[in-house]
Amino acid sequence: MATLIALSKYRSIKQRSFDNYLELFLICSYITDETLDNANLKTFQSFNYDDSRISKAIEALQLSKEVDLFCNKPVSMLDKAINNWIRKNKDLAPFKNYFYNGRLISQTDFIDFYGEDNDDMRSCDFCDMTEGEIASLIEKDEIKTKRLSTRGRTMEIDRLEANKGYEKGNIVKCCYWCNNAKTDEFSAEEFKPIGLLIGYTLRKRLNK
């Protein structure tokens, strides 16, 4: 059973999701204590996506570094505090081990979810397009994106609840076009009819 594509997808979300989770944890810790002295392995282990500070932390990620204020200080001060914390805590292995074992779908479960390399019936949860249909569109030169060298040929991974992690039950397979359009703006329920229209349009090209 060849699962190289699934393994590659898993490695990608593994590092990306840890980096994002750690950043959210540090921002939430900063809201409570700007010195980040309270940011340690114990508080990291008790932190989760339901933390009451999460919405404020996500807002902070979007703010301008100097103009907008966060906790009554420029966002650049938050960045400085986080960078200082990372320099002091060079060994993140205990944090990663906890996150990978408790806050991320396991590699085995992910491979079961994503499937084998040769599964051309793997489909998008929103538009229902399969990888086989996408391959046919590419062969017919009916795909317009310039990103085919890096994205589009295989299903990507989307989170049903964008403010939660890549956990079992919170991920779906998603084509490049739906993933690119959905972003974090639409819920899965809101985006489904939009996705079906994307699928309808792509199939019209396929059936020319």
Side-chain angles (χ1 to χ4, degrees), residues 21 44-49 98-105 165-167:
Y21 191 80
F44 184 77
Q45 290 171 337
S46 63
F47 179 71
N48 59 62
Y49 289 105
Y98 173 78
F99 177 79
Y100 294 152
N101 290 316
R103 292 284 184 263
L104 182 71
I105 185 172
Y166 291 90
E167 300 172 341

Side-chain angles (χ1 to χ4, degrees), residues 113-180:
F113 156 81
Y114 196 79
E116 300 181 31
D117 291 351
N118 62 357
D119 181 9
D120 67 355
M121 293 305 293
R122 185 165 33 234
S123 64
C124 175
D125 200 68
F126 301 108
C127 70
D128 298 332
M129 288 289 292
T130 68
E131 288 184 6
E133 289 175 308
I134 292 169
S136 296
L137 280 166
I138 294 170
E139 187 177 346
K140 293 179 67 173
D141 198 28
E142 289 292 340
I143 292 296
K144 312 303 180 185
T145 179
K146 305 296 190 296
R147 304 194 67 179
L148 272 179
S149 61
T150 56
R151 296 179 66 184
R153 297 178 185 273
T154 58
M155 291 297 141
E156 300 181 355
I157 309 301
D158 185 58
R159 292 168 293 170
L160 290 173
E161 292 187 54
N163 292 343
K164 293 188 180 294
Y166 291 90
E167 300 172 341
K168 194 172 182 179
N170 194 47
I171 57 173
V172 292
K173 292 179 279 289
C174 181
C175 74
Y176 160 73
W177 297 270
C178 286
N179 205 8
N180 203 44

Side-chain angles (χ1 to χ4, degrees), residues 46-73:
S46 63
F47 179 71
N48 59 62
Y49 289 105
D50 294 325
D51 191 288
S52 61
R53 299 165 294 182
I54 281 282
S55 60
K56 190 67 176 176
I58 292 172
E59 178 186 344
L61 290 174
Q62 312 301 323
L63 294 178
S64 166
K65 301 300 182 187
E66 297 292 345
V67 178
D68 294 306
L69 297 179
F70 177 65
C71 294
N72 298 317
K73 292 183 182 293

Side-chain angles (χ1 to χ4, degrees), residues 7 9 11 16-17 24 28 42 55-56 73 86 111 119 124 135 151 161 202:
L7 286 170
K9 301 282 184 185
R11 284 193 294 268
R16 185 171 70 248
S17 59
L24 287 175
C28 288
K42 184 177 180 179
S55 60
K56 190 67 176 176
K73 292 183 182 293
I86 291 174
I111 290 173
D119 181 9
C124 175
R151 296 179 66 184
E161 292 187 54
L202 290 175

